[in-house]
Amino acid sequence: MVFSYKPLWKLLIDQEMTKKALMQATGISKSTIDKMGRGEYVSLEVIDRICTHFQCNVSDVLSHIPDEPRNQ
């Protein structure tokens, strides 16, 4: 299971907000932003902070990319 933070990066562009400004507004660390940039997992607390800041839904911040079906 893979998650993509592309919706968040698009939201930042639409809001004309930098990653640094997001970090300052939400208290999220640079290492967490870096993890998101690499598509790695972050805690739900981080997602909650972002959603609260933008008053948006989780789907506005990340998207789920299903695994390839396995041949059985």
Side-chain angles (χ1 to χ4, degrees), residues 1-5 38-42 44 62-70:
M1 157 173 45
V2 178
F3 291 95
S4 170
Y5 299 98
R38 293 188 301 267
E40 296 177 6
Y41 294 105
V42 297
L44 286 177
L62 60 90
S63 61
H64 176 250
I65 303 168
D67 291 335
E68 293 294 320
R70 296 182 201 174

Side-chain angles (χ1 to χ4, degrees), residues 48-62:
D48 178 54
R49 287 185 196 179
I50 294 169
C51 290
T52 299
H53 175 75
F54 287 114
Q55 297 182 351
C56 67
N57 294 314
V58 173
S59 61
D60 298 321
V61 174
L62 60 90

Side-chain angles (χ1 to χ4, degrees), residues 5-69:
Y5 299 98
K6 285 182 183 180
L8 173 60
W9 309 138
K10 183 181 180 317
L11 180 62
L12 289 179
I13 291 167
D14 292 345
Q15 296 287 322
E16 297 181 358
M17 184 178 209
T18 64
K19 291 178 183 178
K20 184 174 183 176
L22 177 65
M23 289 169 23
Q24 292 170 342
T26 60
I28 296 170
S29 70
K30 182 177 182 335
S31 63
T32 299
I33 294 290
D34 291 344
K35 279 184 178 182
M36 294 171 83
R38 293 188 301 267
E40 296 177 6
Y41 294 105
V42 297
S43 73
L44 286 177
E45 178 185 354
V46 169
I47 303 303
D48 178 54
R49 287 185 196 179
I50 294 169
C51 290
T52 299
H53 175 75
F54 287 114
Q55 297 182 351
C56 67
N57 294 314
V58 173
S59 61
D60 298 321
V61 174
L62 60 90
S63 61
H64 176 250
I65 303 168
D67 291 335
E68 293 294 320

